[in-house]
Amino acid sequence: MTQEHLNQVAAAVNAVKAKGKINHFYLIACGGSKAFFGPAQYIFDMETEIPATIYSSNEFVHRMPKALGKDSVVLTCSHSGNTPETVKACELAREKGATTIAFSHLVDSPLWKAGEFDVHYNTKDEADDSNGRDAMLYAVVFGILNAIQPNEKYERAIKCVDNLPKLFAANKEKYAARAQEFGEKYKRATILYTMASGANYDVAYSFAICLMMEMQWINSSAIHSGEYFHGPFEITDYDVPFIIIKGLDECRPLDERAHAFCKKFSKEITLIDAEEFDMDGVCDDLKGYFCPLVAGVVLRDYADTLADHRGHPMSVRRYMWRMEY
Amino acid sequence: MTQEHLNQVAAAVNAVKAKGKINHFYLIACGGSKAFFGPAQYIFDMETEIPATIYSSNEFVHRMPKALGKDSVVLTCSHSGNTPETVKACELAREKGATTIAFSHLVDSPLWKAGEFDVHYNTKDEADDSNGRDAMLYAVVFGILNAIQPNEKYERAIKCVDNLPKLFAANKEKYAARAQEFGEKYKRATILYTMASGANYDVAYSFAICLMMEMQWINSSAIHSGEYFHGPFEITDYDVPFIIIKGLDECRPLDERAHAFCKKFSKEITLIDAEEFDMDGVCDDLKGYFCPLVAGVVLRDYADTLADHRGHPMSVRRYMWRMEY
């Protein structure tokens, strides 16, 4: 991580540390950026009694939860930094006196200006993955936790962040052949369900709504592994494809149960079992928290090969950025 | 509401009132029962600074959020009262010292025994809808709010609960012809998206995962009206069917925006505009909160007519209750 990035993290963390009281963490973004906050919400939920809630930006703007105020910490994210709902949410939160931290790829973007503390991140294509989005978020999240309730666990977690580029590269390589196989096998799929729980649920959500619906125009939906048995499992049939993520956190038994049932009736299951991930350099008690980041990178490659086999580039849009909405 | 039901509500509300401090409301259930808590979460979020969070029961069981303890209030619900994950969640919460309130149709069910305070509700088919599930939940929710921060608004809300049976009957009649039309038009649909936000999001969720996937084996997914523009809208096409609920709460502008865009590119939109609902006997400032209950009743009829036209009764299951899972 560059000194500039370290400084940005330190400024955000120190601002949170300086607060006398924190009543609520709000994690505010849209679509893929909203899903990006999923693992952070899980971590806060497991590590602190301070509530942490995710809202889609425009719901937050209109809803303005009653607890939002000067004791709140609001994290926002927009890749371009110009998602209007997210900029507005950040502005409103700041007006209410909340401490605002904005993550964006674009320095000096509208979101960058709206947030009191700004954190830049590199994209995956750029040279230095150690300043990537996941790394910057986890540095801030574990930095905040360590500031409000110091613990050597959080110090170890902050060190693990440095291993992310290596981890991503190793797992991309490990899953490359399986990604190819997936792309070829499902190139004619008209629907594809994803399933996960716990820290990984939003990886499944992001795959469904961004990678499939948005970027491939394939019908999709993320099913929570626990909810599966209370409705969705009735859709299971021999020809209905599911991607199932088995995570490494406390909720893994939910994924195991869903997989055990689903494989009895569907012949089209793609299993991503995180126990197979190369998690080198991540302490055992932190693997559950780092797992979704690796799962996200692996699944992106699955989508990329699918796009390749379908001749429908991931960059194609029919509405997004092409018209007013 | 019968005296027995009033007593159950009073016992639950008084137990919450007697707590010196409340740190968190947890709303714990599975599937349709989980969705049932959606509007309650919205109400708590808008009316009090005490956080309120919904978890699918088994996720709650394995996750056990750190803030759960003697200062917490845990509401659970299972129709049969024997959903194992929900019973377990209620037991664990009670062991942790939380005040537990269990909603169930079945008196003396395992959930009934697990919960410290129990609230019975009638099914819609039974004689007295004034003791129905929605009525009992809202009596408890507004009772709790009025106990912890007395307000004439909550007293009015409690009175509005008595109007629910009349309201449900009036709107069922009002939408009967449209339900028939829907059933006929979509009897051959292989996928059906639902869309809503705010207090109504979980009505869309319940329609998708229970009424469509579980009871009709039709592919479905609930799209949040705000999230629609950040991925899912790319799936929109002339022949892709959507049910869009326009609510009456603060988030209505999200639904309006989604509908305005969607109707440009899909010819298959079924609009449920709550502004058309007969909301007689509900005060203006409470309509947003009561709207999802009415929307739920109307949409149930839409699903029922669809089932009728498809010759696939809503009661049919291939896995649920038929095997171990």
Side-chain angles (χ1 to χ4, degrees):
Chain A
M1 208 172 279
T2 70
Q3 191 56 50
E4 199 183 344
H5 285 92
L6 287 169
N7 293 347
Q8 289 170 0
V9 172
V13 168
N14 288 335
V16 176
K17 190 177 185 175
K19 291 177 86 78
K21 182 189 164 193
I22 301 167
N23 78 334
H24 214 121
F25 292 107
Y26 292 103
L27 313 173
I28 312 299
C30 298
S33 295
K34 172 177 164 285
F36 158 70
F37 280 135
Q41 198 279 334
Y42 190 87
I43 295 168
F44 279 131
D45 204 42
M46 299 305 290
E47 298 291 338
T48 168
E49 296 187 12
I50 303 167
T53 314
I54 296 176
Y55 293 88
S56 185
S57 305
N58 215 15
E59 172 126 357
F60 184 78
V61 165
H62 286 86
R63 190 161 164 171
M64 286 280 109
K66 190 164 181 177
L68 174 68
K70 65 176 178 46
D71 294 333
S72 309
V73 175
V74 177
L75 278 65
T76 58
C77 179
S78 162
H79 186 72
S80 64
N82 63 19
T83 308
E85 306 96 298
T86 308
V87 175
K88 181 80 178 165
C90 192
E91 286 169 352
L92 287 172
R94 198 166 168 183
E95 276 170 29
K96 290 250 185 192
T99 300
T100 50
I101 302 170
F103 293 82
S104 178
H105 171 55
L106 202 64
V107 172
D108 290 334
S109 61
L111 183 62
W112 190 270
K113 286 168 188 157
E116 194 178 359
F117 300 94
D118 301 307
V119 180
H120 168 263
Y121 59 80
N122 288 337
T123 63
K124 291 212 168 66
D125 307 330
E126 284 166 328
D128 195 357
D129 221 7
S130 69
N131 305 317
R133 193 173 68 158
D134 295 336
M136 299 311 294
L137 176 66
Y138 272 40
V140 168
V141 166
F142 286 111
I144 287 174
L145 286 172
N146 202 38
I148 59 179
Q149 46 189 32
N151 188 325
E152 62 78 36
K153 180 179 174 184
Y154 306 142
E155 286 168 29
R156 283 189 284 110
I158 292 165
K159 283 189 191 130
C160 289
V161 168
D162 293 333
N163 292 321
L164 284 176
K166 205 181 61 185
L167 218 55
F168 292 164
N171 286 289
K172 274 165 80 85
E173 198 186 321
K174 185 165 187 169
Y175 281 86
R178 279 182 265 189
Q180 278 300 334
E181 195 186 327
F182 173 84
E184 190 171 352
K185 188 168 179 190
Y186 292 109
K187 66 182 175 185
R188 303 204 212 290
T190 56
I191 188 155
L192 225 164
Y193 286 108
T194 58
M195 193 143 57
S197 69
N200 299 291
Y201 175 74
D202 274 305
V203 178
Y205 177 74
S206 177
F207 191 88
I209 74 148
C210 297
L211 304 186
M212 292 300 104
M213 296 173 90
E214 174 185 333
M215 302 183 195
Q216 288 299 300
W217 307 351
I218 291 177
N219 292 297
S220 190
S221 178
I223 298 169
H224 183 275
S225 313
E227 289 286 279
Y228 177 61
F229 296 97
H230 300 277
F233 77 154
E234 285 284 331
I235 206 76
T236 311
D237 213 331
Y238 70 93
D239 58 351
V240 178
F242 290 84
I243 295 180
I244 303 178
I245 305 171
K246 281 195 202 172
L248 297 175
D249 58 61
E250 293 75 6
C251 296
R252 181 177 170 89
L254 278 70
D255 309 326
E256 286 176 335
R257 182 181 172 214
H259 178 240
F261 183 89
C262 194
K263 74 181 180 187
K264 285 189 211 165
F265 300 99
S266 168
K267 291 177 183 162
E268 302 296 339
I269 293 177
T270 302
L271 176 66
I272 308 282
D273 186 346
E275 277 202 340
E276 292 181 41
F277 287 174
D278 179 345
M279 295 294 279
D280 226 31
V282 180
C283 313
D284 279 345
D285 59 343
L286 295 167
K287 283 182 178 164
Y289 294 158
F290 280 85
C291 168
L293 310 184
V294 176
V297 166
V298 167
L299 277 168
R300 172 70 202 211
D301 275 2
Y302 277 55
D304 280 340
T305 63
L306 190 75
D308 192 35
H309 281 282
R310 299 178 79 230
H312 178 116
M314 296 291 276
S315 56
V316 168
R317 302 288 186 282
R318 47 182 157 183
Y319 311 123
M320 193 177 272
W321 313 314
R322 295 185 62 170
M323 56 186 73
E324 291 281 317
Y325 45 85
Chain B
M1 208 173 279
T2 70
Q3 191 57 48
E4 199 182 345
H5 285 92
L6 287 170
N7 292 347
Q8 289 171 358
V9 172
V13 167
N14 288 335
V16 176
K17 190 177 184 173
K19 291 178 85 76
K21 182 190 162 194
I22 302 167
N23 77 334
H24 215 120
F25 292 107
Y26 292 103
L27 313 172
I28 312 299
C30 298
S33 295
K34 173 176 163 285
F36 157 70
F37 280 136
Q41 197 278 334
Y42 190 88
I43 295 169
F44 279 132
D45 204 41
M46 299 304 290
E47 298 290 338
T48 167
E49 295 187 12
I50 302 167
T53 314
I54 297 175
Y55 293 87
S56 185
S57 304
N58 215 14
E59 171 126 357
F60 184 78
V61 164
H62 285 86
R63 189 162 166 171
M64 285 280 110
K66 190 164 181 177
L68 175 69
K70 65 176 178 45
D71 295 332
S72 308
V73 175
V74 177
L75 278 65
T76 59
C77 179
S78 162
H79 185 73
S80 64
N82 64 18
T83 308
E85 305 96 298
T86 307
V87 174
K88 182 79 178 164
C90 192
E91 286 169 352
L92 286 173
R94 196 166 170 183
E95 277 170 28
K96 290 252 184 191
T99 300
T100 51
I101 302 170
F103 293 83
S104 178
H105 172 56
L106 202 64
V107 172
D108 290 333
S109 61
L111 184 62
W112 190 271
K113 285 167 189 160
E116 193 179 1
F117 300 94
D118 301 306
V119 179
H120 167 263
Y121 60 80
N122 288 337
T123 64
K124 292 213 167 64
D125 307 330
E126 285 167 327
D128 195 356
D129 221 8
S130 69
N131 305 317
R133 193 174 66 157
D134 295 336
M136 299 310 293
L137 176 66
Y138 272 41
V140 168
V141 166
F142 286 112
I144 287 174
L145 286 172
N146 202 39
I148 59 180
Q149 46 188 34
N151 187 325
E152 62 78 36
K153 180 180 174 183
Y154 306 142
E155 286 168 28
R156 283 189 284 111
I158 293 164
K159 282 187 191 132
C160 288
V161 168
D162 293 334
N163 291 320
L164 284 176
K166 206 182 62 185
L167 217 55
F168 292 163
N171 286 289
K172 275 165 79 88
E173 197 186 322
K174 185 164 186 168
Y175 281 86
R178 279 181 267 189
Q180 277 300 333
E181 195 186 326
F182 172 85
E184 190 171 352
K185 189 168 178 189
Y186 292 108
K187 67 181 173 185
R188 303 205 211 288
T190 55
I191 188 154
L192 225 164
Y193 286 107
T194 58
M195 192 142 58
S197 69
N200 298 290
Y201 175 74
D202 275 306
V203 178
Y205 177 75
S206 176
F207 190 88
I209 73 148
C210 297
L211 304 186
M212 292 300 103
M213 296 173 88
E214 174 185 333
M215 303 183 194
Q216 288 299 301
W217 307 351
I218 292 177
N219 293 296
S220 191
S221 177
I223 299 170
H224 182 276
S225 312
E227 288 287 278
Y228 176 61
F229 296 97
H230 300 278
F233 77 153
E234 285 284 332
I235 206 77
T236 312
D237 213 330
Y238 71 93
D239 59 351
V240 178
F242 290 84
I243 295 179
I244 303 177
I245 305 171
K246 281 194 203 174
L248 297 176
D249 58 60
E250 292 76 4
C251 296
R252 180 175 170 90
L254 278 69
D255 309 326
E256 286 176 335
R257 181 182 171 214
H259 177 240
F261 182 89
C262 195
K263 73 180 180 188
K264 285 189 209 164
F265 300 99
S266 168
K267 290 177 183 163
E268 301 297 340
I269 293 177
T270 302
L271 177 66
I272 308 282
D273 186 347
E275 276 202 342
E276 292 180 41
F277 286 173
D278 179 344
M279 295 294 280
D280 227 32
V282 180
C283 313
D284 279 343
D285 60 342
L286 295 167
K287 283 181 178 165
Y289 295 158
F290 282 82
C291 169
L293 310 183
V294 175
V297 166
V298 167
L299 277 168
R300 173 71 202 210
D301 275 2
Y302 276 55
D304 280 341
T305 62
L306 189 75
D308 193 35
H309 281 282
R310 298 179 78 229
H312 179 115
M314 296 292 276
S315 56
V316 168
R317 301 289 186 283
R318 46 183 158 182
Y319 311 123
M320 193 178 271
W321 313 313
R322 295 185 63 170
M323 57 186 74
E324 290 281 317
Y325 46 85

